[in-house]
Amino acid sequence: MARIREVVQQALTTGLLSIEAENQLRLLLASKYDREDLRAFMTLQYAAMAGSVKQESRLCRS
């Protein structure tokens, strides 16, 4: 299974947090993780708040 920081890096690179990645993060955060993974997750949160990473689950669908 991927680490939190790997999922975060993908989202930061693409500018999009996919629904699949979001679900994967939920699973990873429910298990034991290290300080670097926590820092990566916090970076993702800040990027989402700043608008540099969009969440697929929150995008408008027409």
Side-chain angles (χ1 to χ4, degrees):
M1 185 174 265
R3 292 183 166 188
I4 292 170
R5 64 192 102 167
E6 294 166 353
V7 177
V8 168
Q9 186 58 51
Q10 180 70 22
L12 293 174
T13 299
T14 63
L16 179 70
L17 180 64
S18 69
I19 293 171
E20 181 182 325
E22 213 173 317
N23 290 332
Q24 191 174 16
L25 281 173
R26 282 190 190 96
L27 290 172
L28 291 167
L29 288 165
S31 61
K32 195 169 186 172
Y33 50 86
D34 63 20
R35 194 173 279 172
E36 289 303 312
D37 281 329
L38 179 59
R39 284 189 188 125
F41 183 69
M42 290 169 55
T43 299
L44 178 61
Q45 287 181 306
Y46 291 131
M49 289 188 298
S52 57
V53 171
K54 306 289 184 203
Q55 287 178 262
E56 183 180 15
S57 64
R58 295 181 184 260
L59 295 176
C60 294
R61 295 196 171 112
S62 15

Tab-separated table of all heavy atoms in Angstrom:
chain	number	residue	atom	x	y	z
A	1	MET	N	0.841	-1.186	0.000
A	1	MET	CA	0.000	0.000	0.000
A	1	MET	C	0.883	1.245	0.000
A	1	MET	O	1.935	1.267	0.619
A	1	MET	CB	-0.918	-0.030	1.225
A	1	MET	CG	-1.912	1.119	1.244
A	1	MET	SD	-3.096	1.002	2.584
A	1	MET	CE	-4.427	0.197	1.721
A	2	ALA	N	0.419	2.261	-0.684
A	2	ALA	CA	1.178	3.511	-0.780
A	2	ALA	C	1.205	4.229	0.565
A	2	ALA	O	0.376	3.995	1.435
A	2	ALA	CB	0.541	4.406	-1.830
A	3	ARG	N	2.170	5.094	0.695
A	3	ARG	CA	2.247	5.940	1.878
A	3	ARG	C	1.482	7.221	1.615
A	3	ARG	O	1.275	7.622	0.473
A	3	ARG	CB	3.693	6.275	2.188
A	3	ARG	CG	4.475	5.078	2.643
A	3	ARG	CD	5.861	5.506	2.997
A	3	ARG	NE	6.476	4.414	3.740
A	3	ARG	CZ	7.628	4.508	4.328
A	3	ARG	NH1	8.315	5.621	4.269
A	3	ARG	NH2	8.124	3.492	4.987
A	4	ILE	N	1.110	7.875	2.683
A	4	ILE	CA	0.378	9.132	2.578
A	4	ILE	C	1.156	10.119	1.717
A	4	ILE	O	0.598	10.769	0.839
A	4	ILE	CB	0.103	9.710	3.981
A	4	ILE	CG1	-0.891	8.812	4.726
A	4	ILE	CG2	-0.401	11.143	3.897
A	4	ILE	CD1	-1.059	9.128	6.198
A	5	ARG	N	2.450	10.213	1.955
A	5	ARG	CA	3.241	11.210	1.215
A	5	ARG	C	3.263	10.937	-0.289
A	5	ARG	O	3.362	11.868	-1.076
A	5	ARG	CB	4.640	11.338	1.786
A	5	ARG	CG	5.492	10.105	1.669
A	5	ARG	CD	6.742	10.218	2.503
A	5	ARG	NE	6.509	9.431	3.708
A	5	ARG	CZ	7.419	9.083	4.566
A	5	ARG	NH1	8.639	9.486	4.419
A	5	ARG	NH2	7.120	8.357	5.607
A	6	GLU	N	3.136	9.682	-0.693
A	6	GLU	CA	3.098	9.357	-2.119
A	6	GLU	C	1.786	9.808	-2.750
A	6	GLU	O	1.774	10.354	-3.865
A	6	GLU	CB	3.305	7.860	-2.316
A	6	GLU	CG	4.685	7.391	-1.906
A	6	GLU	CD	4.793	5.876	-1.785
A	6	GLU	OE1	3.768	5.176	-1.885
A	6	GLU	OE2	5.916	5.396	-1.570
A	7	VAL	N	0.693	9.604	-2.047
A	7	VAL	CA	-0.614	10.034	-2.534
A	7	VAL	C	-0.645	11.561	-2.609
A	7	VAL	O	-1.126	12.138	-3.585
A	7	VAL	CB	-1.745	9.504	-1.618
A	7	VAL	CG1	-3.100	10.014	-2.073
A	7	VAL	CG2	-1.733	7.975	-1.576
A	8	VAL	N	-0.103	12.211	-1.590
A	8	VAL	CA	-0.051	13.671	-1.551
A	8	VAL	C	0.793	14.208	-2.701
A	8	VAL	O	0.398	15.155	-3.386
A	8	VAL	CB	0.488	14.167	-0.194
A	8	VAL	CG1	0.833	15.640	-0.241
A	8	VAL	CG2	-0.514	13.878	0.914
A	9	GLN	N	1.938	13.612	-2.947
A	9	GLN	CA	2.819	14.079	-4.024
A	9	GLN	C	2.121	14.007	-5.369
A	9	GLN	O	2.241	14.920	-6.187
A	9	GLN	CB	4.120	13.266	-4.048
A	9	GLN	CG	5.127	13.791	-5.056
A	9	GLN	CD	5.497	15.249	-4.817
A	9	GLN	OE1	5.847	15.625	-3.713
A	9	GLN	NE2	5.408	16.063	-5.840
A	10	GLN	N	1.376	12.948	-5.595
A	10	GLN	CA	0.625	12.813	-6.842
A	10	GLN	C	-0.401	13.937	-6.974
A	10	GLN	O	-0.547	14.535	-8.039
A	10	GLN	CB	-0.071	11.445	-6.899
A	10	GLN	CG	-0.880	11.210	-8.146
A	10	GLN	CD	-0.028	11.037	-9.388
A	10	GLN	OE1	1.139	10.698	-9.309
A	10	GLN	NE2	-0.615	11.281	-10.528
A	11	ALA	N	-1.107	14.234	-5.895
A	11	ALA	CA	-2.110	15.301	-5.922
A	11	ALA	C	-1.462	16.662	-6.146
A	11	ALA	O	-1.975	17.488	-6.904
A	11	ALA	CB	-2.910	15.299	-4.629
A	12	LEU	N	-0.331	16.898	-5.503
A	12	LEU	CA	0.364	18.170	-5.675
A	12	LEU	C	0.889	18.323	-7.101
A	12	LEU	O	0.864	19.416	-7.662
A	12	LEU	CB	1.512	18.290	-4.669
A	12	LEU	CG	1.115	18.409	-3.201
A	12	LEU	CD1	2.352	18.360	-2.312
A	12	LEU	CD2	0.316	19.666	-2.934
A	13	THR	N	1.348	17.228	-7.685
A	13	THR	CA	1.886	17.251	-9.045
A	13	THR	C	0.791	17.517	-10.076
A	13	THR	O	0.973	18.322	-10.987
A	13	THR	CB	2.597	15.919	-9.362
A	13	THR	OG1	3.671	15.755	-8.442
A	13	THR	CG2	3.136	15.902	-10.782
A	14	THR	N	-0.354	16.866	-9.905
A	14	THR	CA	-1.434	16.987	-10.885
A	14	THR	C	-2.384	18.141	-10.585
A	14	THR	O	-3.113	18.578	-11.470
A	14	THR	CB	-2.260	15.691	-10.952
A	14	THR	OG1	-2.884	15.464	-9.683
A	14	THR	CG2	-1.398	14.507	-11.350
A	15	GLY	N	-2.396	18.589	-9.337
A	15	GLY	CA	-3.327	19.644	-8.950
A	15	GLY	C	-4.726	19.125	-8.698
A	15	GLY	O	-5.671	19.897	-8.580
A	16	LEU	N	-4.853	17.794	-8.614
A	16	LEU	CA	-6.164	17.182	-8.413
A	16	LEU	C	-6.054	16.016	-7.439
A	16	LEU	O	-5.193	15.144	-7.593
A	16	LEU	CB	-6.722	16.667	-9.741
A	16	LEU	CG	-8.090	15.986	-9.671
A	16	LEU	CD1	-9.176	17.005	-9.366
A	16	LEU	CD2	-8.389	15.264	-10.970
A	17	LEU	N	-6.941	16.011	-6.466
A	17	LEU	CA	-7.056	14.875	-5.548
A	17	LEU	C	-8.256	14.069	-6.020
A	17	LEU	O	-9.407	14.500	-5.887
A	17	LEU	CB	-7.253	15.350	-4.107
A	17	LEU	CG	-7.380	14.255	-3.059
A	17	LEU	CD1	-6.092	13.445	-2.959
A	17	LEU	CD2	-7.747	14.837	-1.713
A	18	SER	N	-7.977	12.929	-6.618
A	18	SER	CA	-9.052	12.095	-7.160
A	18	SER	C	-9.872	11.477	-6.030
A	18	SER	O	-9.433	11.412	-4.877
A	18	SER	CB	-8.476	10.980	-8.042
A	18	SER	OG	-7.779	10.045	-7.242
A	19	ILE	N	-11.053	11.024	-6.374
A	19	ILE	CA	-11.911	10.349	-5.392
A	19	ILE	C	-11.213	9.104	-4.871
A	19	ILE	O	-11.239	8.821	-3.670
A	19	ILE	CB	-13.283	10.012	-6.010
A	19	ILE	CG1	-14.042	11.315	-6.306
A	19	ILE	CG2	-14.093	9.104	-5.091
A	19	ILE	CD1	-15.301	11.137	-7.116
A	20	GLU	N	-10.568	8.380	-5.761
A	20	GLU	CA	-9.825	7.175	-5.364
A	20	GLU	C	-8.715	7.518	-4.373
A	20	GLU	O	-8.544	6.836	-3.357
A	20	GLU	CB	-9.241	6.496	-6.596
A	20	GLU	CG	-8.465	5.233	-6.291
A	20	GLU	CD	-7.854	4.626	-7.548
A	20	GLU	OE1	-8.476	4.704	-8.615
A	20	GLU	OE2	-6.748	4.072	-7.432
A	21	ALA	N	-7.967	8.586	-4.653
A	21	ALA	CA	-6.877	9.003	-3.761
A	21	ALA	C	-7.428	9.470	-2.419
A	21	ALA	O	-6.836	9.213	-1.366
A	21	ALA	CB	-6.050	10.102	-4.408
A	22	GLU	N	-8.564	10.147	-2.446
A	22	GLU	CA	-9.199	10.601	-1.211
A	22	GLU	C	-9.576	9.407	-0.333
A	22	GLU	O	-9.323	9.403	0.872
A	22	GLU	CB	-10.448	11.402	-1.571
A	22	GLU	CG	-10.750	12.516	-0.625
A	22	GLU	CD	-11.891	13.395	-1.110
A	22	GLU	OE1	-11.950	13.730	-2.310
A	22	GLU	OE2	-12.719	13.737	-0.260
A	23	ASN	N	-10.143	8.389	-0.954
A	23	ASN	CA	-10.506	7.173	-0.214
A	23	ASN	C	-9.266	6.462	0.314
A	23	ASN	O	-9.262	5.946	1.442
A	23	ASN	CB	-11.334	6.241	-1.092
A	23	ASN	CG	-12.710	6.784	-1.360
A	23	ASN	OD1	-13.265	7.539	-0.557
A	23	ASN	ND2	-13.274	6.431	-2.498
A	24	GLN	N	-8.211	6.451	-0.484
A	24	GLN	CA	-6.966	5.831	-0.051
A	24	GLN	C	-6.389	6.576	1.157
A	24	GLN	O	-5.915	5.958	2.106
A	24	GLN	CB	-5.968	5.811	-1.201
A	24	GLN	CG	-4.758	4.966	-0.944
A	24	GLN	CD	-3.870	4.866	-2.175
A	24	GLN	OE1	-3.994	5.635	-3.125
A	24	GLN	NE2	-2.960	3.921	-2.162
A	25	LEU	N	-6.449	7.896	1.126
A	25	LEU	CA	-5.966	8.689	2.259
A	25	LEU	C	-6.763	8.379	3.526
A	25	LEU	O	-6.181	8.284	4.611
A	25	LEU	CB	-6.044	10.182	1.949
A	25	LEU	CG	-4.931	10.742	1.080
A	25	LEU	CD1	-5.219	12.191	0.715
A	25	LEU	CD2	-3.582	10.611	1.762
A	26	ARG	N	-8.060	8.221	3.390
A	26	ARG	CA	-8.882	7.881	4.565
A	26	ARG	C	-8.403	6.573	5.198
A	26	ARG	O	-8.287	6.470	6.418
A	26	ARG	CB	-10.347	7.759	4.173
A	26	ARG	CG	-11.024	9.073	4.005
A	26	ARG	CD	-12.542	8.898	3.854
A	26	ARG	NE	-13.116	10.167	3.465
A	26	ARG	CZ	-13.383	10.524	2.213
A	26	ARG	NH1	-13.143	9.685	1.223
A	26	ARG	NH2	-13.899	11.687	1.943
A	27	LEU	N	-8.134	5.585	4.355
A	27	LEU	CA	-7.649	4.295	4.867
A	27	LEU	C	-6.276	4.435	5.513
A	27	LEU	O	-6.027	3.883	6.592
A	27	LEU	CB	-7.581	3.270	3.735
A	27	LEU	CG	-8.905	2.773	3.169
A	27	LEU	CD1	-8.665	1.913	1.937
A	27	LEU	CD2	-9.671	2.009	4.227
A	28	LEU	N	-5.394	5.175	4.856
A	28	LEU	CA	-4.035	5.336	5.378
A	28	LEU	C	-4.022	6.124	6.682
A	28	LEU	O	-3.245	5.823	7.595
A	28	LEU	CB	-3.155	6.032	4.337
A	28	LEU	CG	-2.835	5.206	3.094
A	28	LEU	CD1	-2.243	6.090	2.006
A	28	LEU	CD2	-1.882	4.067	3.445
A	29	LEU	N	-4.890	7.119	6.787
A	29	LEU	CA	-4.945	7.925	8.008
A	29	LEU	C	-5.550	7.154	9.183
A	29	LEU	O	-5.328	7.516	10.334
A	29	LEU	CB	-5.727	9.215	7.764
A	29	LEU	CG	-4.996	10.243	6.897
A	29	LEU	CD1	-5.960	11.310	6.410
A	29	LEU	CD2	-3.831	10.858	7.655
A	30	ALA	N	-6.295	6.103	8.881
A	30	ALA	CA	-6.887	5.280	9.930
A	30	ALA	C	-5.882	4.294	10.512
A	30	ALA	O	-6.126	3.690	11.559
A	30	ALA	CB	-8.097	4.526	9.397
A	31	SER	N	-4.741	4.146	9.842
A	31	SER	CA	-3.709	3.238	10.330
A	31	SER	C	-2.531	4.049	10.866
A	31	SER	O	-2.558	5.286	10.860
A	31	SER	CB	-3.255	2.296	9.213
A	31	SER	OG	-2.704	3.044	8.155
A	32	LYS	N	-1.503	3.379	11.266
A	32	LYS	CA	-0.333	4.052	11.824
A	32	LYS	C	0.474	4.718	10.709
A	32	LYS	O	0.677	4.142	9.647
A	32	LYS	CB	0.536	3.024	12.542
A	32	LYS	CG	1.557	3.632	13.455
A	32	LYS	CD	2.194	2.577	14.335
A	32	LYS	CE	3.099	3.256	15.330
A	32	LYS	NZ	3.597	2.337	16.321
A	33	TYR	N	0.891	5.952	10.956
A	33	TYR	CA	1.698	6.686	9.990
A	33	TYR	C	2.746	7.495	10.738
A	33	TYR	O	2.624	7.743	11.938
A	33	TYR	CB	0.829	7.591	9.103
A	33	TYR	CG	-0.131	8.467	9.863
A	33	TYR	CD1	0.264	9.700	10.359
A	33	TYR	CD2	-1.442	8.058	10.098
A	33	TYR	CE1	-0.610	10.506	11.062
A	33	TYR	CE2	-2.323	8.847	10.799
A	33	TYR	CZ	-1.904	10.073	11.275
A	33	TYR	OH	-2.770	10.870	11.976
A	34	ASP	N	3.783	7.911	10.011
A	34	ASP	CA	4.880	8.623	10.670
A	34	ASP	C	4.736	10.139	10.515
A	34	ASP	O	3.805	10.642	9.894
A	34	ASP	CB	6.236	8.129	10.160
A	34	ASP	CG	6.475	8.382	8.680
A	34	ASP	OD1	5.796	9.250	8.090
A	34	ASP	OD2	7.356	7.716	8.118
A	35	ARG	N	5.659	10.836	11.098
A	35	ARG	CA	5.646	12.300	11.126
A	35	ARG	C	5.719	12.902	9.719
A	35	ARG	O	5.068	13.897	9.431
A	35	ARG	CB	6.818	12.789	11.979
A	35	ARG	CG	6.714	14.236	12.361
A	35	ARG	CD	7.797	14.598	13.339
A	35	ARG	NE	7.375	14.168	14.675
A	35	ARG	CZ	8.145	14.197	15.737
A	35	ARG	NH1	9.383	14.599	15.643
A	35	ARG	NH2	7.687	13.823	16.906
A	36	GLU	N	6.508	12.290	8.850
A	36	GLU	CA	6.630	12.789	7.478
A	36	GLU	C	5.301	12.669	6.727
A	36	GLU	O	4.952	13.543	5.939
A	36	GLU	CB	7.741	12.053	6.728
A	36	GLU	CG	9.123	12.417	7.202
A	36	GLU	CD	9.411	13.915	7.102
A	36	GLU	OE1	9.133	14.521	6.041
A	36	GLU	OE2	9.889	14.486	8.094
A	37	ASP	N	4.583	11.581	6.966
A	37	ASP	CA	3.271	11.424	6.338
A	37	ASP	C	2.301	12.479	6.869
A	37	ASP	O	1.513	13.039	6.109
A	37	ASP	CB	2.715	10.023	6.571
A	37	ASP	CG	3.319	8.983	5.642
A	37	ASP	OD1	3.671	9.333	4.497
A	37	ASP	OD2	3.427	7.824	6.053
A	38	LEU	N	2.358	12.758	8.154
A	38	LEU	CA	1.498	13.793	8.735
A	38	LEU	C	1.823	15.155	8.127
A	38	LEU	O	0.922	15.910	7.757
A	38	LEU	CB	1.660	13.839	10.255
A	38	LEU	CG	0.834	14.910	10.971
A	38	LEU	CD1	-0.650	14.734	10.710
A	38	LEU	CD2	1.130	14.893	12.465
A	39	ARG	N	3.088	15.461	7.989
A	39	ARG	CA	3.493	16.731	7.364
A	39	ARG	C	2.990	16.816	5.921
A	39	ARG	O	2.527	17.865	5.477
A	39	ARG	CB	5.008	16.885	7.398
A	39	ARG	CG	5.532	17.268	8.741
A	39	ARG	CD	7.013	17.628	8.663
A	39	ARG	NE	7.528	17.806	9.995
A	39	ARG	CZ	8.571	17.167	10.499
A	39	ARG	NH1	9.248	16.320	9.752
A	39	ARG	NH2	8.956	17.387	11.733
A	40	ALA	N	3.112	15.717	5.202
A	40	ALA	CA	2.645	15.695	3.812
A	40	ALA	C	1.143	15.942	3.749
A	40	ALA	O	0.669	16.716	2.912
A	40	ALA	CB	2.998	14.358	3.159
A	41	PHE	N	0.397	15.318	4.637
A	41	PHE	CA	-1.051	15.509	4.663
A	41	PHE	C	-1.402	16.962	4.979
A	41	PHE	O	-2.302	17.542	4.366
A	41	PHE	CB	-1.702	14.556	5.668
A	41	PHE	CG	-3.197	14.664	5.692
A	41	PHE	CD1	-3.952	14.232	4.614
A	41	PHE	CD2	-3.850	15.207	6.785
A	41	PHE	CE1	-5.337	14.342	4.626
A	41	PHE	CE2	-5.230	15.322	6.803
A	41	PHE	CZ	-5.981	14.888	5.727
A	42	MET	N	-0.685	17.562	5.908
A	42	MET	CA	-0.911	18.966	6.241
A	42	MET	C	-0.612	19.862	5.039
A	42	MET	O	-1.342	20.823	4.768
A	42	MET	CB	-0.066	19.367	7.449
A	42	MET	CG	-0.567	18.724	8.735
A	42	MET	SD	0.546	18.895	10.149
A	42	MET	CE	0.790	20.647	10.233
A	43	THR	N	0.431	19.539	4.295
A	43	THR	CA	0.762	20.291	3.082
A	43	THR	C	-0.376	20.195	2.075
A	43	THR	O	-0.742	21.188	1.439
A	43	THR	CB	2.073	19.756	2.462
A	43	THR	OG1	3.125	19.932	3.408
A	43	THR	CG2	2.414	20.460	1.170
A	44	LEU	N	-0.951	19.009	1.945
A	44	LEU	CA	-2.083	18.821	1.042
A	44	LEU	C	-3.281	19.654	1.490
A	44	LEU	O	-3.950	20.284	0.673
A	44	LEU	CB	-2.462	17.345	0.962
A	44	LEU	CG	-3.671	17.009	0.094
A	44	LEU	CD1	-3.440	17.418	-1.360
A	44	LEU	CD2	-3.998	15.531	0.197
A	45	GLN	N	-3.535	19.686	2.780
A	45	GLN	CA	-4.648	20.487	3.298
A	45	GLN	C	-4.455	21.964	2.962
A	45	GLN	O	-5.384	22.633	2.512
A	45	GLN	CB	-4.786	20.301	4.806
A	45	GLN	CG	-5.342	18.948	5.195
A	45	GLN	CD	-5.486	18.817	6.691
A	45	GLN	OE1	-4.537	19.032	7.429
A	45	GLN	NE2	-6.677	18.487	7.134
A	46	TYR	N	-3.251	22.467	3.185
A	46	TYR	CA	-2.960	23.872	2.872
A	46	TYR	C	-3.111	24.144	1.372
A	46	TYR	O	-3.643	25.177	0.974
A	46	TYR	CB	-1.562	24.266	3.341
A	46	TYR	CG	-1.420	24.328	4.844
A	46	TYR	CD1	-0.361	23.699	5.479
A	46	TYR	CD2	-2.340	25.004	5.637
A	46	TYR	CE1	-0.218	23.737	6.859
A	46	TYR	CE2	-2.213	25.048	7.018
A	46	TYR	CZ	-1.147	24.418	7.624
A	46	TYR	OH	-1.023	24.463	8.987
A	47	ALA	N	-2.644	23.217	0.547
A	47	ALA	CA	-2.749	23.380	-0.902
A	47	ALA	C	-4.215	23.394	-1.339
A	47	ALA	O	-4.596	24.180	-2.211
A	47	ALA	CB	-1.985	22.267	-1.619
A	48	ALA	N	-5.027	22.561	-0.726
A	48	ALA	CA	-6.456	22.534	-1.055
A	48	ALA	C	-7.121	23.838	-0.618
A	48	ALA	O	-7.937	24.409	-1.366
A	48	ALA	CB	-7.125	21.334	-0.404
A	49	MET	N	-6.774	24.333	0.547
A	49	MET	CA	-7.350	25.598	1.018
A	49	MET	C	-6.928	26.766	0.134
A	49	MET	O	-7.703	27.695	-0.088
A	49	MET	CB	-6.945	25.869	2.474
A	49	MET	CG	-7.626	24.946	3.457
A	49	MET	SD	-7.339	25.377	5.193
A	49	MET	CE	-5.581	25.213	5.356
A	50	ALA	N	-5.706	26.714	-0.383
A	50	ALA	CA	-5.185	27.782	-1.241
A	50	ALA	C	-5.719	27.670	-2.666
A	50	ALA	O	-5.559	28.597	-3.458
A	50	ALA	CB	-3.659	27.740	-1.252
A	51	GLY	N	-6.319	26.531	-2.998
A	51	GLY	CA	-6.875	26.344	-4.328
A	51	GLY	C	-5.906	25.767	-5.346
A	51	GLY	O	-6.252	25.642	-6.520
A	52	SER	N	-4.721	25.400	-4.914
A	52	SER	CA	-3.760	24.837	-5.865
A	52	SER	C	-3.981	23.341	-6.099
A	52	SER	O	-3.448	22.781	-7.049
A	52	SER	CB	-2.324	25.114	-5.433
A	52	SER	OG	-2.084	24.615	-4.145
A	53	VAL	N	-4.770	22.706	-5.244
A	53	VAL	CA	-5.193	21.315	-5.446
A	53	VAL	C	-6.708	21.290	-5.326
A	53	VAL	O	-7.272	21.778	-4.354
A	53	VAL	CB	-4.558	20.356	-4.413
A	53	VAL	CG1	-5.177	18.968	-4.514
A	53	VAL	CG2	-3.060	20.272	-4.599
A	54	LYS	N	-7.354	20.750	-6.336
A	54	LYS	CA	-8.814	20.609	-6.342
A	54	LYS	C	-9.178	19.183	-5.940
A	54	LYS	O	-8.458	18.247	-6.247
A	54	LYS	CB	-9.377	20.876	-7.739
A	54	LYS	CG	-8.981	22.195	-8.342
A	54	LYS	CD	-9.650	23.338	-7.653
A	54	LYS	CE	-9.305	24.638	-8.350
A	54	LYS	NZ	-9.432	25.783	-7.514
A	55	GLN	N	-10.314	19.056	-5.264
A	55	GLN	CA	-10.807	17.741	-4.898
A	55	GLN	C	-11.865	17.327	-5.926
A	55	GLN	O	-12.849	18.028	-6.114
A	55	GLN	CB	-11.458	17.775	-3.511
A	55	GLN	CG	-10.466	17.906	-2.386
A	55	GLN	CD	-11.192	17.991	-1.070
A	55	GLN	OE1	-11.399	19.076	-0.564
A	55	GLN	NE2	-11.561	16.841	-0.533
A	56	GLU	N	-11.622	16.203	-6.557
A	56	GLU	CA	-12.565	15.709	-7.564
A	56	GLU	C	-13.963	15.558	-6.971
A	56	GLU	O	-14.957	15.870	-7.638
A	56	GLU	CB	-12.075	14.370	-8.125
A	56	GLU	CG	-12.938	13.824	-9.222
A	56	GLU	CD	-12.449	12.500	-9.772
A	56	GLU	OE1	-11.601	11.838	-9.137
A	56	GLU	OE2	-12.920	12.124	-10.852
A	57	SER	N	-14.058	15.151	-5.728
A	57	SER	CA	-15.353	14.929	-5.089
A	57	SER	C	-16.125	16.228	-4.878
A	57	SER	O	-17.326	16.197	-4.662
A	57	SER	CB	-15.160	14.232	-3.740
A	57	SER	OG	-14.442	15.066	-2.848
A	58	ARG	N	-15.451	17.367	-4.969
A	58	ARG	CA	-16.126	18.650	-4.751
A	58	ARG	C	-16.311	19.462	-6.039
A	58	ARG	O	-16.838	20.564	-5.993
A	58	ARG	CB	-15.335	19.478	-3.744
A	58	ARG	CG	-15.311	18.844	-2.371
A	58	ARG	CD	-14.540	19.709	-1.415
A	58	ARG	NE	-14.426	19.068	-0.124
A	58	ARG	CZ	-15.198	19.371	0.919
A	58	ARG	NH1	-16.106	20.299	0.819
A	58	ARG	NH2	-15.037	18.748	2.066
A	59	LEU	N	-15.862	18.922	-7.153
A	59	LEU	CA	-16.013	19.632	-8.419
A	59	LEU	C	-17.459	19.554	-8.882
A	59	LEU	O	-18.126	18.526	-8.724
A	59	LEU	CB	-15.100	19.051	-9.495
A	59	LEU	CG	-13.608	19.205	-9.241
A	59	LEU	CD1	-12.809	18.506	-10.343
A	59	LEU	CD2	-13.208	20.671	-9.164
A	60	CYS	N	-17.950	20.624	-9.466
A	60	CYS	CA	-19.329	20.663	-9.997
A	60	CYS	C	-19.408	19.726	-11.193
A	60	CYS	O	-18.530	19.696	-12.049
A	60	CYS	CB	-19.695	22.070	-10.423
A	60	CYS	SG	-19.795	23.220	-9.059
A	61	ARG	N	-20.468	18.982	-11.233
A	61	ARG	CA	-20.714	18.094	-12.367
A	61	ARG	C	-21.973	18.558	-13.059
A	61	ARG	O	-22.978	18.843	-12.432
A	61	ARG	CB	-20.876	16.652	-11.891
A	61	ARG	CG	-19.595	16.142	-11.284
A	61	ARG	CD	-19.608	14.636	-11.166
A	61	ARG	NE	-18.300	14.189	-10.777
A	61	ARG	CZ	-18.013	13.641	-9.610
A	61	ARG	NH1	-18.952	13.461	-8.725
A	61	ARG	NH2	-16.791	13.258	-9.329
A	62	SER	N	-21.910	18.627	-14.387
A	62	SER	CA	-23.102	19.033	-15.128
A	62	SER	C	-23.677	17.913	-15.934
A	62	SER	O	-23.180	16.888	-16.094
A	62	SER	CB	-22.834	20.191	-16.051
A	62	SER	OG	-21.513	20.473	-16.304
